[in-house]
Structures are given as structure tokens and as C-alpha cells.
Amino acid sequence: MAIPPLKNALVAGAVGLALGLSACGESDPPAPDAEDLDISVLQDNFESTYQPLPPEHVVITNATILVGNGERLDKGSIHIRDGKIKAIAEEMDVPGDAQVVDAEGGWVTPGIIDSHSHLGVYPSPGVWAHADGNEMVSPNTAHVSAEHGLWPQDPGFLRAIEGGVTSALILPGSANIFGGRGVTVKMVPGRTAQDMKFPDAPQTLKMACGENPKRVYGQGRGSSPYTRMGNKAEVRSAFINAQDYLDRWIDYERKKAAGEDAEAPSRDLSLETLAGVLNDEVLVHNHCYRADEMKHRLDIAEEFGYQITAFHHAVESYKIADTLAEADVCSAMWSDWWGFKMEAWDGIRENVPMVEAAGACAVLHSDSAQDIQRLNQEAAKAMAAANRVGLDVTREQAIGWITLNAAKILGIDEVTGSLEAGKNADVVIWDGDPFSVYSRTQQVYVDGARVFDRDDPARQGELDFTLGMLGEGAQ
Amino acid sequence: MLRTIATIITVAAATLAFPLKAEVIAITGGQVHTLGEAGVLEDATVLIRDGRIEAVGQDVSIPNDARRIDAEGRPVTPGIIDAHGQIGLVEVSAVSGSNDGAVSGRAFTAAFDVADAINPASALIPINRVEGITRAVVAPGHGGGGSLIAGQGAIIDLGNGYDTLTRQGAAMYASLGETGAQLSGGSRAAAMLHLREALQDAQDYQDNRADYERRERREYALGRLDLDALGPVLEGEMPLIINAHRASDIRAALRLATDFDLQLVIRGGAEAWKVAEELAAVDVPVLIDPLQNLPGNFESLGSTLENAARLHEDGVRFAFATGDSHNARNITQAAGNAVAHGLPHEAAMAAIMSVPADIWSIEDRVGRLESGLEADLVIWDGDPLDVTSYPDHVFIRGAEMPMETRHTRLRDRYLEVHDLTLPLAYPR
């Protein structure tokens, strides 16, 4: 028998409780809804210390603007002030105190968002001493968090900024079924991971299907999961425990709210992460290649009443794009990686546009310290391949794969991801069509601050690692 | 006598490799990038006969029996030569049974010849050729406990037959730098020591073979087959490709090449720009990945997207090689990025078309669009180096290649999921 989805169980419980209470007397306060309960242990324990840099007051003019939401201005202007986008329009009056950046011949896009990166946790140099992205000791390490492995001195951050990336989700690796929590960062190098942490971004959990857990534990150690069967059983078992854990905390918080004596349950970091998933406070980012496995994971999510935010890598999403659309689950994909393992054998260039054409949400991610520097080119390859088979993908559409749709799965789309008034001024000026291999970023803004400028050496950083080494200034 | 028979068989095989039907094809109206002295010819014709280029130019008379393809002003280029990869040796990287790229457990496997393992039916071949790659250098690997001297690479065409070898024993592969150190007990100095020992032994063996056969020679570090295999390297007939990134490792390789009078090629070369003048002085070419710009380890601290532009500036010969086999097709993107970072467009085209042919001494067969050469060519729908361009037609040795792959088959199967009377697995 299927365990009823948690939310329904809670509602049923609350209704039952309310009925019971009403039988006792009308003066008793109603029991709080589970959703109204502030379950303190599910909150993010490590606050961001990110401080926006002093913002510029700028009007960028004469640019071809891809807004990120599917719109395009052929010759537009964008006004940036106090770290926000004040206005975007074909014509605008330039305030006297604003600096004008004439982008004649150039293009403007939202800051690019990479929804799958290991920068900082698998940094350059790729030495064991810095390989902090995969806690490969157990198939369930939901208790760990990428921010606790993130080395903010990874030179890859600066290369990514130069590539126009303004935010990224840094995820643990995929050796484990539950790899741990990810951390969403601003692409502004800081002295600590917390300095880079995207303020108020939702918490995330990395999960993994398929070959990697099987290889590391089954093949490598003769332990579970030995098969995909074991993998899914582990997911279900873990969520049964998590549900129990959550119930105990709900019970405790409810009693506390009602002024009753209650003893707090003992804490369990792994179960806190999973309970956060069940309570819609932690977004699930699920590494999953094969179409049939994604469907299994959707069924399990339904069984326990949680939502999978996105399947990552998802090389076979094109095979079940209709199902994914129906389930409202996004796919974060490469443009063309394939063949490096069995579950990547059916990867095709048209995956991203085919997912979108089926009405499902398509995101293009990097998973690579190299490709994160050129997500615009990756989108261009997928767009062009699609257009050759008549899918008619436009640039204004394709830019969404690496901006607004990516923001959506990170849960930060209300503040970034498109160039709409009121959003954070995360903006890239390109010296040409960003869907050409020859175009390069000219300026990159995060929260209105110019963090990269190709014409201004003062806006091109050098992180500690390369300082005084042969690599300093090599770029 | 045996050698004569072998030669006859080889010649016969090479002849059979060309289309049996004598087809004449005229590609007209193209923007023809000859990659040769003729440069770029607008509105030009390439005439193909019997698998070879018969004529290239703006005034080529087209025979009546020629099949005409109108390029409509689009770029026509030589086929791309992937200068380093494992196409044909690897199918699924993580499936060991489909993977013949490296030998482990022995320090020297100079006699290991990838040609004996190449699979012309590999799915990687059509997937890369529909994106313009027509020849590929297939190299033995060093990773995963491979050998310091890994063995011999081959050059194949990506055509549709079983006779795809362009050249067997095309080069010998060895490692210095971090890989070489790992394979030699932990130090670069040990790697150099072992390479020198191997070359000295091979030289001694060449000079005293009769003594060796009579067991009157000292012990060698290498077995007989490996000693034999190093003969052409010592003769300077077979290039020695040495993996090296760090500037000091490249210098070490140059010293080795000087001492033994070797035909050296550097592969990797992340810091090659730091030693560009020395490379240019002895005309040692470099195979680089132009996208390498991260200090991925301590031997590539000087990685930069301007590597290619700086090497070009200093007159170093270089070809592009990402080392990626499944996506060797992305070499055009890599080349385009080199252009975005200062390399002239024609030099980037050369680095994936003509220069590899020169480095591998197959310039008398492919690499340019010139009369007499084998007809490997591509008609593109746009600038070959831009990421939105794809080939419309690909010819290998004069034969037009099908533009279908298992990827296009998968794509088409799922492009429109109709109401089906049969499961999706049935329609083909």
C-alpha cells in the first residue's frame, strides 16, 4: 500500500485533531497547520555574509537585448541603479548622473546562471587535497553540505565570471544516492564560502540515480546499492525514516506552540535534510540519465509527497519530455555530452530543445569548469542542431535555458535570471551575438557592480592560488 | 620476398579503398578554402574523380557525366583531421570490454599497435564525421597505469568501410611530466631516465642485433618486440609524441630529442607559449587543446586561451587536439575560441585541417583542397568554426557520406511521439 503523501497526511491529521478539539470545547485554540509551524531544525543554519559591491549607476544603450523571459529588444537600453534594474526599454531618458555605456553592435543578456557546477569543491588545481565534493563513504550523506567543502580561491570562479556567469549552484558529486546539500553562490569571489552564498536562496539537495552509486558501492565495495533496485530501495527507506522524523518534529513544534510540555526529538543531520525535502524547504536536484529511471524517481516522489525540482544531466529527457512536462519537473542538461558511460549512450544534441518543444522546462548546465565559461556557446550548439530539424528555436528562447529557467530551479527567479525592472542587476554585455563562438563578454555586472571588464585590468581578478606563480597574468 | 608480397597486398588494399564506381562529382559555387597556396576562392568548383580531387578553381570545366552539387556560396573545406584521440578504440568509456585504448602493467609497450584494435564500425565514427571530421589520429593512452612508452598510433579515415587505415605505425607515444613521473615511480627525473634507457637499449640493439640473437649482448630493459618497434623512432622516420605541459617538461623533451636526433612532437603543451621561441627554433610542432585555460594541476599553471595565438605569433607549428573522442566533433568550437582569443581565422582552420596533415606527413594525401589529393571535403552551412554551423555534405576519399547516425535515428524516433499502433521500438 502506498504511504499517503505527507501533505495529505498532515491535512488529515490536522482535520482529525480539529474535530477532536471541537468535541472538547469551542474555547480551545485551533491547532496550527503544519505549514505554519516554524520547524527550526529545517532552517538554513549558515547565513550568507555576502555583501554586494558598490554598485554602478549605468545606462547601457544601443544593445540587442535578450531579456531572458523570451523577449528581445533589437535596439534597447537598460538602466542599472542601486544594484537593481530600474528600467529596460527601446527608448529611455538617461539620468544626468548616470554613466552611459554605449554598447553599439553589442548584445546584452541576463547574467548566466549555471545550475550544476562543482567549482570550489572540485577546484583547480585538481589535486586530492582539494577534492572536497564527494563524501564517498556511504550512499546516504544527506548530512553534508557543499558549502563546507567550497574553496573560494578556486581560479575557476574568475574564468566563469569572464564567461558571463553571475550565479551558480555548487553541488556535491554523484557518488552517493544522497550526496548532500548544494549551495547557491554569487559569482563574486569572497574570502569564505559564506561570503559568496546567495542570500535567501532555497536550500538544495543533490541526489543521484544510476551508475555512479552502483559503481562506487556495488562494484567498488560489494555493498549496497549493488543495483538500481537497491538504489531506489535506499531512497524509499530514507524517506520513510525522514517522514517519521518530520512527524516527531511537527508533533513537538505543535505542542510547543500550544504551550504544552514537550521534549525536542534528538537531531539527525541527514534526516533534517530529507525532512526539509518533505516539508518543501529543500529543493531536490536529482542526477539522473535514463528516462526509465527518472520515471521511477517521479513515482517515489509522488509516493512521499515531495517535488523533484530538476533532473540533472538527464540525457534521455527527450524520451519522456511529455511526462516531465506533466510532472512539472525541469531537466538540466548538457548540449552534447554522450558516450562516456552506458547511461550516457543515448545523449543527443537536440535534447534541450526537444524537452522545451514538448512543453517541459529546459535548462542547460555545465557540470564542468570548462563549459561553465561558455554556456552561451553550448546553448548555441543545441539551438542550431534543433533548427536543422525544424524546431525553430530563437535566441531569445535559447538564452532562457541558461538564465531564467536556471534561476527557476535554483529558486532565485524572483530576484535574478531576466532583465526585468526590479530584479538584481546581474547583466552581461557581449561584444557581439552571444550565440557566436567569436563573441566575448565585455562587461559583467553582479548586483550592479562591475565584476569583469575586458578593457579594465582593475576589473580582472587574480585569486590567491595563481598569485606569484607562473600562471599569474597568463590570461 | 615476404616484404614484397606485403607491399603488393597493401597497394591492392589501398586501391580497393576508393569507390569502385568511378564517380565524377562537381561541387560548384562554393567558397572554397583550399588551405593551400590558392587561399580562399569565391564561387569556385571542386571536381572529384575516382576519389581524388581532379581540379580546384574558378575556371574548372565540368564534364557532362559529373554529378553536380551547388554549394550556393557556402564554405567548402578539406575534411577535419582530429590530431589526437581514440576513435575506434573506445565505444563506451566506462565499459571496459568496449575499450582498447591502453595497456597496463608494463613500463614499455612500444610494440603495442592500436591498429590491431581499431573498430571501423564504431558508433563514434559516423557521429564525428557528420560534423566534418574525416581523418583521425588514434593514439594509445597513458592513463590508468598505462605505459611510459605507450605504443604506436595510427591514422584512420572515418569512411564507411572496413579498410580505414591511412597509416599504421604513424607515431610512437611517450609521457613526461606528471603522467610520466607517476608511471616511473614518482619523479620526472625517473621518467627521463627510463626513456633514455629505453632509447639507448634500442639503439644498442639496432647496432648489435646479431650479438643479441646469439645472446652475447647485455640485458635490456625492453623485450625484443619493443626494441624493434623503437627502430623507426631512432631512425627519425617515426615521430615520437611526448605528453608534456610544463615549460620545463617541454624543454626536457627538446633535450631528449636533440640527444637522440628524434622527430619530436609535443602533445599537451599548456605552457608551450612560454617556450615558443625554442620550439620554433627546432621546428618541433605542438598538439594543444586551445580551450585549456585553467591551472588544472601544477604542470599547467600557465594555461591560457591565448596559447594558440602566442604560438602562432612566434612561428611555432601547432595543431588542435582536445583528446576527446566522443566529441572530437567539438574541435571546431575549440578552434573558433582560439580565433576569439587572437588567432587568425585561417591559422585556426589550418590547425584542424592542413597542419595535422603536415605533422603526420600525410600532406601528399589529405589536408588541403588541391588536385591530386584524396577527396576528403566538407560543405558547411556557415563558417566552419562557428558553433551554429553544421556540415551539409561530407566526402571521404570521394565518397559522399550518409548524414545519418544513431543519434539522428534516436532524435527522429522521439521528435514527435505520435499516438502509436505499435510501441515506439517498432517504427524504423
Side-chain angles (χ1 to χ4, degrees):
Chain A
M1 196 182 83
I3 296 166
L6 181 83
K7 280 274 149 26
N8 295 344
L10 285 174
V11 170
V15 170
L17 202 55
L19 288 172
L21 285 170
S22 67
C24 291
E26 290 176 359
S27 60
D28 287 335
D33 277 351
E35 281 169 6
D36 297 334
L37 289 170
D38 180 20
I39 303 171
S40 59
V41 296
L42 303 187
Q43 307 310 308
D44 190 352
N45 290 306
F46 304 98
E47 279 190 17
S48 165
T49 53
Y50 169 75
Q51 291 291 327
L53 300 168
E56 315 260 334
H57 183 199
V58 172
V59 176
I60 303 163
T61 61
N62 285 322
T64 304
I65 303 178
L66 300 176
V67 182
N69 61 358
E71 293 172 15
R72 168 189 181 130
L73 303 181
D74 281 327
K75 204 171 179 68
S77 297
I78 181 161
H79 180 196
I80 296 172
R81 180 170 206 165
D82 299 331
K84 304 287 180 197
I85 294 164
K86 296 295 285 184
I88 172 168
E90 297 276 3
E91 302 284 338
M92 82 172 57
D93 295 329
V94 178
D97 56 341
Q99 189 199 340
V100 174
V101 177
D102 187 346
E104 179 68 46
W107 291 53
V108 170
T109 67
I112 289 169
I113 298 170
D114 190 1
S115 54
H116 193 120
S117 169
H118 301 298
L119 287 180
V121 295
Y122 279 113
S124 301
V127 294
W128 183 85
H130 280 175
D132 289 315
N134 248 332
E135 183 72 5
M136 278 192 280
V137 296
S138 160
N140 185 346
T141 58
H143 59 298
V144 305
S145 182
E147 69 186 282
H148 297 147
L150 188 146
W151 184 49
Q153 296 295 343
D154 182 354
F157 284 120
L158 286 177
R159 303 283 87 79
I161 293 166
E162 186 176 339
V165 178
T166 55
S167 315
L169 174 58
I170 310 298
L171 289 166
S174 51
N176 307 339
I177 296 169
F178 296 97
R181 297 190 193 210
V183 58
T184 299
V185 298
K186 296 265 191 182
M187 281 289 168
V188 180
R191 286 184 291 174
T192 65
Q194 278 70 29
D195 283 351
M196 299 180 70
K197 198 167 171 180
F198 199 113
D200 302 321
Q203 304 174 83
T204 55
L205 167 65
K206 169 76 176 289
M207 291 175 64
C209 297
E211 277 183 46
N212 288 9
K214 233 171 81 99
R215 188 184 70 245
V216 171
Y217 297 100
Q219 188 187 38
R221 301 175 196 177
S223 61
S224 178
Y226 206 91
T227 63
R228 285 180 164 83
M229 297 187 290
N231 184 313
K232 272 108 192 176
E234 170 69 31
V235 174
R236 297 180 69 206
S237 301
F239 276 113
I240 289 169
N241 291 338
Q243 195 164 38
D244 183 51
Y245 184 76
L246 179 61
D247 288 346
R248 277 185 273 138
W249 276 96
I250 289 172
D251 187 51
Y252 164 73
E253 298 285 0
R254 191 172 277 150
K255 281 179 177 159
K256 206 171 68 170
E260 296 172 31
D261 282 345
E263 193 182 342
S266 55
R267 291 183 62 184
D268 182 306
L269 291 176
S270 270
L271 292 173
E272 275 173 24
T273 303
L274 303 190
V277 170
L278 294 174
N279 215 37
D280 289 345
E281 289 174 60
V282 176
L283 307 180
V284 173
H285 290 276
N286 200 331
H287 155 123
C288 213
Y289 285 70
R290 263 173 34 186
D292 55 313
E293 280 208 275
M294 290 187 233
K295 180 64 172 106
H296 285 310
R297 288 297 179 96
L298 290 176
D299 290 347
I300 294 171
E302 194 179 340
E303 177 183 7
F304 291 95
Y306 65 88
Q307 175 72 15
I308 295 167
T309 297
F311 287 116
H312 286 238
H313 310 338
V315 299
E316 290 190 4
S317 276
Y318 68 95
K319 297 187 182 182
I320 52 159
D322 49 348
T323 305
L324 294 167
E326 200 174 323
D328 194 23
V329 176
C330 296
S331 301
M333 302 159 275
W334 296 291
S335 69
D336 56 16
W337 290 22
W338 74 282
F340 44 96
K341 51 183 170 172
M342 213 45 231
E343 62 192 4
W345 187 236
D346 286 358
I348 62 171
R349 275 206 192 278
E350 296 83 1
N351 193 21
V352 175
M354 281 173 70
V355 167
E356 179 157 278
C361 154
V363 180
L364 200 151
H365 68 18
S366 83
D367 190 23
S368 153
Q370 276 292 332
D371 288 1
I372 193 174
Q373 304 177 45
R374 284 173 288 277
L375 279 170
N376 57 313
Q377 294 176 20
E378 297 304 309
K381 286 190 285 184
M383 176 187 76
N387 288 337
R388 283 178 68 85
V389 289
L391 285 177
D392 293 333
V393 179
T394 62
R395 281 162 170 71
E396 45 270 38
Q397 204 181 337
I399 197 73
W401 303 336
I402 53 175
T403 58
L404 189 58
N405 290 2
K408 184 180 159 188
I409 66 172
L410 271 53
I412 55 174
D413 52 314
E414 286 187 7
V415 295
T416 188
S418 61
L419 300 174
E420 293 167 279
K423 284 195 168 183
N424 296 345
D426 298 339
V427 181
V428 185
I429 305 176
W430 306 81
D431 61 8
D433 174 4
F435 290 83
S436 164
V437 77
Y438 303 121
S439 298
R440 300 197 298 178
T441 56
Q442 203 60 38
Q443 295 186 344
V444 180
Y445 294 84
V446 175
D447 288 320
R450 196 158 34 98
V451 293
F452 177 77
D453 190 330
R454 201 168 293 278
D455 296 329
D456 182 358
R459 301 285 170 159
Q460 300 167 15
E462 190 82 47
L463 286 171
D464 291 357
F465 175 64
T466 41
L467 213 57
M469 303 280 276
L470 184 145
E472 183 178 358
Q475 303 303 312
Chain B
M1 186 47 131
L2 274 176
R3 175 166 292 197
T4 312
I5 292 169
T7 307
I8 291 166
I9 290 169
T10 309
V11 169
T15 310
L16 279 174
F18 284 94
L20 291 175
K21 203 177 87 183
E23 192 177 20
V24 185
I25 303 163
I27 296 163
T28 61
Q31 180 193 62
V32 178
H33 296 250
T34 66
L35 274 294
E37 283 176 10
V40 180
L41 306 171
E42 299 291 344
D43 197 16
T45 296
V46 180
L47 188 66
I48 300 170
R49 183 188 295 277
D50 301 343
R52 289 188 187 275
I53 297 168
E54 187 168 86
V56 180
Q58 285 154 325
D59 302 308
V60 174
S61 60
I62 299 167
N64 288 336
D65 60 342
R67 176 159 75 93
R68 286 171 180 255
I69 297 172
D70 186 356
E72 295 172 333
R74 290 169 294 174
V76 178
T77 73
I80 293 166
I81 301 172
D82 178 33
H84 187 95
Q86 297 208 308
I87 293 175
L89 287 187
V90 59
E91 205 68 31
V92 184
S93 313
V95 174
S96 59
S98 75
N99 210 323
D100 295 299
V103 191
S104 58
R106 291 170 58 195
F108 304 112
T109 53
F112 172 65
D113 184 347
V114 299
D116 293 326
I118 288 170
N119 173 21
S122 165
L124 279 71
I125 288 175
I127 286 164
N128 281 298
R129 80 171 170 230
V130 299
E131 300 207 20
I133 298 180
T134 56
R135 308 264 165 161
V137 177
V138 185
H142 294 268
S147 302
L148 186 64
I149 297 182
Q152 301 162 63
I155 304 170
I156 60 169
D157 71 58
L158 271 58
N160 233 351
Y162 273 84
D163 172 34
T164 56
L165 269 181
T166 301
R167 175 167 297 160
Q168 190 168 358
M172 185 68 66
Y173 288 81
S175 276
L176 286 173
E178 290 189 13
T179 307
Q182 280 161 15
L183 295 171
S184 309
S187 169
R188 285 170 160 79
M192 184 54 89
L193 190 70
H194 289 147
L195 281 185
R196 286 181 182 276
E197 182 185 29
L199 291 168
Q200 285 166 5
D201 281 1
Q203 189 63 61
D204 193 77
Y205 167 80
Q206 303 297 335
D207 296 343
N208 303 282
R209 196 177 296 208
D211 288 351
Y212 176 88
E213 298 294 348
R214 287 194 300 269
R215 302 190 180 196
E216 289 177 2
R217 211 65 202 164
R218 62 176 166 82
E219 284 276 307
Y220 293 135
L222 293 76
R224 179 178 55 84
L225 295 176
D226 294 326
L227 292 165
D228 263 329
L230 287 173
V233 175
L234 289 163
E235 297 289 318
E237 292 166 2
M238 183 187 282
L240 177 66
I241 318 288
I242 293 187
N243 275 317
H245 281 295
R246 202 170 77 179
S248 67
D249 293 328
I250 296 171
R251 287 200 176 97
L254 289 173
R255 286 195 297 274
L256 183 77
T258 304
D259 291 351
F260 289 88
D261 199 15
L262 306 172
Q263 189 190 333
L264 176 68
V265 178
I266 299 292
R267 188 234 159 188
E271 295 183 356
W273 63 277
K274 293 292 274 188
V275 288
E277 287 177 16
E278 292 151 71
L279 289 163
V282 288
D283 193 25
V284 166
V286 189
L287 312 177
I288 61 167
D289 175 359
L291 294 180
Q292 185 172 3
N293 72 334
L294 289 165
N297 45 45
F298 279 84
E299 65 184 359
S300 57
L301 296 176
S303 300
T304 166
L305 290 174
E306 293 183 3
N307 197 7
R310 294 175 192 173
L311 291 173
H312 176 74
E313 189 87 356
D314 285 331
V316 179
R317 282 199 297 155
F318 58 90
F320 292 149
T322 63
D324 187 340
S325 302
H326 291 86
N327 277 337
R329 56 191 180 165
N330 284 338
I331 196 84
T332 48
Q333 182 187 5
N337 277 280
V339 175
H341 289 86
L343 184 70
H345 188 274
E346 61 272 24
M349 296 273 281
I352 59 174
M353 294 171 185
S354 56
V355 176
D358 298 339
I359 291 175
W360 299 98
S361 303
I362 50 172
E363 74 280 5
D364 56 342
R365 296 181 61 178
V366 289
R368 294 176 177 80
L369 297 182
E370 290 175 342
S371 62
L373 299 189
E374 296 171 20
D376 285 14
L377 65 84
V378 183
I379 306 174
W380 301 82
D381 67 359
D383 176 354
L385 304 188
D386 213 340
V387 277
T388 46
S389 304
Y390 285 92
D392 283 330
H393 300 268
V394 176
F395 294 84
I396 296 179
R397 296 193 297 179
E400 183 161 13
M401 293 292 114
M403 298 303 279
E404 188 177 80
T405 70
R406 73 180 300 279
H407 285 181
T408 66
R409 298 285 300 278
L410 280 164
R411 176 195 69 200
D412 295 344
R413 170 173 278 186
Y414 288 95
L415 204 48
E416 287 180 50
V417 179
H418 301 286
D419 288 334
L420 298 167
T421 50
L422 279 170
L424 208 52
Y426 287 69
R428 290 185 290 159

